[in-house]
Amino acid sequence: MGKNGSKEAKKKHHAKKQKNARIEEELQIEQEEVRNQVNILVLGTGESGKSTFIKQLLILHKGGFRQTDRETYFTTIRKNLVIHTVQMVNACKSFGWELEEKNHKLAREFVNIKTSEIKELKKETVKKIKQLWTDPALKTAYKNRHKFHLPDSSDFYLDEIDRIGDPKYTPTDRDILLCRIPTTGLNKISFNFGETPWTVVDVGGQRSERRKWIHQFDNVTLLIYVVAINEFNQKLFEDEEVNRLLESLVLFEKTSNDKFFKEKNCVIFFNKIDLFEEKIKTEDLSQCFPDYEGGNDPDEAKKFIKLKFLEAGENESRNIFCHSTCATDTRNIENVFDAVNVSIIENTLKNGGYM
């Protein structure tokens, strides 16, 4: 090989080395970014408040809801006014809660409504709902909503029917936070918390959705498990023989001890704490846990439930952090989220040998 050929070969070899070095550097940077990224999987049973937590992150870290979001919720919230009224009227009929005679004819109209065919909220329908909501029987139905499937927030929307019934109505942040739309598939949000990139994934909590969780277990930094602590006297939507809080406990034990999570730190949100503290005044936790003997003391009841979940997820390889939350309260979620961030930082330092 001549001098020119030798120089050309050296030149190509040097260029190749430089290219390989750049690729190696880029891979190292990418790996470092992956190591520094926080990936959180939010799990829990249906209606536990997972999606409300994601909505709060949108408010706190993504600038809030877009106009297109508000337009979507406009339709859903107004339809829900009719659906919730139909549910309560039907419950009155099933449980024998007698409506005032003047409302009998009106109630029959709602009994015959097919909720799947509701397209819009008409002005005359708003007047009818408003009249029915003044009936003591519907108030009784709402107070006994644990006996059938009615969202806790339905009274909020019915009390606001004049505002929501206005054709020019625009959903507020609170309206959207309280609105329940079942999660199907994945609900993902990415943002920077300080200088650290975060990705938070919420998946459907209904039984039919849980098989999809398995695909989200790779590279998870932390598991957040949301428990609707107020559901100790309620049954599953999918199975009216199963207590909701017991279902959540069984699912937590199974999920947190799965091979994917054995060494992953976990944060439990005991959510809907405001509703729990109100309910425990008149309902005994022993109807869910026969071994409970703390009566109507909210602190004793919370302590008992917390211990049940800690025992279910006990594992020497990881830590479990517990927080009482009200997912519809933005300030509460902001404070809890700051605490979650601290636990992640502590865990990172510990794994790196700095603690």
Side-chain angles (χ1 to χ4, degrees):
M1 184 184 291
K3 288 184 178 181
N4 289 338
S6 178
K7 285 182 179 180
E8 190 65 31
K10 286 181 179 179
K11 196 173 181 181
K12 285 182 179 180
H13 179 69
H14 181 67
K16 188 175 181 180
K17 281 184 68 176
Q18 284 186 318
K19 184 179 179 181
N20 288 340
R22 282 197 305 272
I23 292 172
E24 186 65 31
E25 185 180 356
E26 288 172 2
L27 284 171
Q28 287 179 353
I29 292 171
E30 188 175 324
Q31 287 172 354
E32 187 64 26
E33 287 176 350
V34 169
R35 279 196 294 270
N36 291 335
Q37 173 149 342
V38 172
N39 296 308
I40 295 179
L41 188 59
V42 184
L43 302 178
T45 54
E47 300 183 60
S48 59
K50 299 181 288 81
S51 298
T52 307
F53 173 64
I54 297 295
K55 291 176 192 175
Q56 291 285 18
L57 295 184
L58 282 171
I59 293 173
L60 293 168
H61 298 285
K62 297 288 282 186
F65 302 108
R66 299 165 298 180
Q67 184 58 33
T68 51
D69 296 325
R70 297 188 192 278
E71 289 168 3
T72 298
Y73 280 99
F74 169 88
T75 303
T76 302
I77 290 169
R78 283 164 62 90
K79 280 180 64 175
N80 281 349
L81 278 173
V82 183
I83 293 170
H84 297 164
T85 304
V86 170
Q87 288 172 320
M88 284 190 285
V89 168
N90 283 328
C92 287
K93 184 179 179 182
S94 298
F95 291 98
W97 300 318
E98 189 67 27
L99 279 84
E100 294 178 340
E101 189 174 346
K102 64 180 181 180
N103 290 325
H104 284 186
K105 183 180 178 181
L106 205 53
R108 283 195 294 273
E109 289 183 33
F110 281 84
V111 167
N112 295 323
I113 290 177
K114 293 180 180 179
T115 55
S116 60
E117 296 178 1
I118 299 169
K119 301 298 181 185
E120 59 181 340
L121 183 64
K122 297 178 181 178
K123 189 175 181 180
E124 56 268 28
T125 306
V126 171
K127 290 180 180 178
K128 291 174 182 178
I129 292 173
K130 189 174 179 179
Q131 182 177 328
L132 282 171
W133 183 230
T134 63
D135 195 299
L138 262 72
K139 297 294 196 296
T140 299
Y142 177 76
K143 287 179 182 177
N144 289 276
R145 61 192 179 279
H146 62 279
K147 295 181 179 179
F148 61 106
H149 299 289
L150 182 73
D152 293 313
S153 59
S154 56
D155 67 328
F156 167 80
Y157 294 117
L158 288 162
D159 286 342
E160 295 288 320
I161 191 166
D162 287 332
R163 177 175 64 88
I164 296 171
D166 188 330
K168 296 180 181 178
Y169 158 69
T170 299
T172 64
D173 285 356
R174 182 155 181 79
D175 293 342
I176 294 173
L177 285 170
L178 289 170
C179 183
R180 158 102 178 126
I181 300 177
T183 302
T184 55
L186 303 179
N187 188 5
K188 183 184 291 188
I189 177 173
S190 297
F191 55 91
N192 283 345
F193 194 51
E195 296 182 359
T196 306
W198 286 55
T199 296
V200 182
V201 178
D202 161 37
V203 291
Q206 304 289 347
R207 283 179 169 180
S208 60
E209 292 291 318
R210 293 176 197 165
R211 56 185 172 79
K212 300 174 185 175
W213 293 1
I214 196 74
H215 304 297
Q216 299 305 312
F217 286 168
D218 291 340
N219 301 319
V220 171
T221 309
L222 183 78
L223 166 67
I224 291 180
Y225 191 83
V226 185
V227 181
I229 193 173
N230 67 312
E231 294 185 339
F232 63 87
N233 68 337
Q234 294 172 244
K235 304 297 183 183
L236 283 184
F237 176 77
E238 307 98 313
D239 186 346
E240 295 191 357
E241 297 299 317
V242 179
N243 180 281
R244 288 193 185 189
L245 186 56
L246 287 178
E247 170 86 351
S248 183
L249 178 60
V250 169
L251 181 63
F252 174 71
E253 181 172 20
K254 182 180 178 180
T255 305
S256 64
N257 292 305
D258 189 279
K259 62 180 180 179
F260 292 101
F261 284 130
K262 279 184 178 179
E263 298 182 0
K264 301 290 184 182
N265 281 355
C266 176
V267 176
I268 303 176
F269 286 175
F270 291 110
N271 194 34
K272 305 188 181 183
I273 193 67
D274 53 332
L275 299 175
F276 171 81
E277 290 176 346
E278 187 63 30
K279 181 181 284 188
I280 200 68
K281 294 176 184 177
T282 56
E283 298 282 344
D284 200 304
L285 186 61
S286 62
Q287 59 190 289
C288 178
F289 299 107
D291 54 333
Y292 174 72
E293 298 177 347
N296 300 108
D297 186 323
D299 291 331
E300 286 297 315
K302 283 185 282 187
K303 192 188 303 180
F304 185 89
I305 294 171
K306 177 181 175 181
L307 185 59
K308 287 286 186 183
F309 276 83
L310 288 176
E311 288 174 348
E314 190 174 4
N315 187 327
E316 293 180 357
S317 302
R318 54 115 184 275
N319 294 314
I320 298 178
F321 308 92
C322 299
H323 296 279
S324 295
T325 60
C326 175
T328 57
D329 183 337
T330 304
R331 180 62 62 85
N332 172 251
I333 293 300
E334 183 175 22
N335 291 337
V336 169
F337 198 68
D338 286 341
V340 169
N341 186 43
V342 169
S343 69
I344 289 172
I345 292 170
E346 288 177 350
N347 187 57
T348 302
L349 292 172
K350 184 178 178 181
N351 289 340
Y354 300 107
M355 288 182 70

